[in-house]
Amino acid sequence: MADRATFSTLVRDRAPAWRRTAYLICGNWAQAEDLTQSVLLRMYLKWPSIDPNGIDAYARVAIARLAVDESRRPHRRREVSSGQLPDRGADYASPDEAMDVRRALTGLPRGQRATLVLRYYAGFSVAETAAALGITEGTVKSQTAKGIAALRERLSAAPAGETEGRGPR
């Protein structure tokens, strides 16, 4: 059984990475902070039964599930995405180009976004992603394929410089 001091140390060290994962899934820094805080509360309450060696996987799975659950709530369905699309994506070398990819992720449906983040950012396998999101492996594959196609389209469609001056949403 792990103690609360260990929990505090792990949270201090790992919370920024979990917040970044949450942002990549939901596309909004404020919502990413809320998701991370909700996961931290759940982890704190269950801490005696959580294996500290698997804490990163536990956090990523919990964040992904909460993000998908949150997207199913009626007030989230009324949100309308707007804004300009980034100019390109692959082989980015600068932080600006990385932001373009992050902005393009925000325009994807949450299911596609969650599978892409877990597969390519968190390094989950298809089976691990399916288990984390509570969906079939076939759904993971189709959502990943659709998400990649949509990202390619978004990143190649916008004229260069059209996304300048915009921060994270």
Side-chain angles (χ1 to χ4, degrees):
M1 176 151 91
D3 63 6
R4 302 294 180 178
T6 305
F7 176 80
S8 297
T9 301
L10 278 171
V11 167
R12 184 176 51 250
D13 294 343
R14 300 301 305 144
W18 299 335
R19 198 170 19 255
R20 285 189 299 273
T21 299
Y23 170 74
L24 289 172
I25 291 173
C26 71
N28 178 298
W29 283 110
Q31 188 178 0
E33 181 67 31
D34 290 344
L35 287 171
T36 305
Q37 290 299 319
S38 294
V39 168
L40 291 175
L41 175 61
R42 290 175 184 205
M43 286 175 23
Y44 182 79
L45 295 173
K46 294 181 179 184
W47 184 245
S49 63
I50 297 175
D51 176 15
N53 296 325
I55 195 74
D56 282 321
Y58 182 96
R60 288 189 300 256
V61 167
I63 288 167
R65 286 184 177 169
L66 279 173
V68 170
D69 288 347
E70 187 69 19
S71 72
R72 293 179 179 149
R73 296 192 180 177
H75 70 277
R76 294 284 182 210
R77 283 187 234 135
R78 288 189 292 260
E79 290 182 2
V80 177
S81 298
S82 63
Q84 303 302 320
L85 301 175
D87 56 344
R88 59 189 172 107
D91 300 325
Y92 53 85
S94 73
D96 290 337
E97 289 175 331
M99 287 303 299
D100 288 345
V101 172
R102 289 186 187 115
R103 281 190 203 105
L105 272 171
T106 64
L108 297 179
R110 290 192 195 274
Q112 291 176 13
R113 191 178 324 149
T115 58
L116 289 176
V117 170
L118 291 178
R119 292 279 292 125
Y120 299 106
Y121 181 77
F124 280 26
S125 67
V126 171
E128 291 169 329
T129 303
L133 297 175
I135 57 178
T136 67
E137 291 184 23
T139 302
V140 170
K141 292 175 185 177
S142 68
Q143 290 293 302
T144 301
K146 289 175 185 176
I148 289 172
L151 275 179
R152 284 185 179 138
E153 183 179 320
R154 289 173 182 276
L155 292 170
S156 65
E162 204 167 286
T163 61
E164 290 182 22
R166 297 191 45 190
R169 292 193 278 168

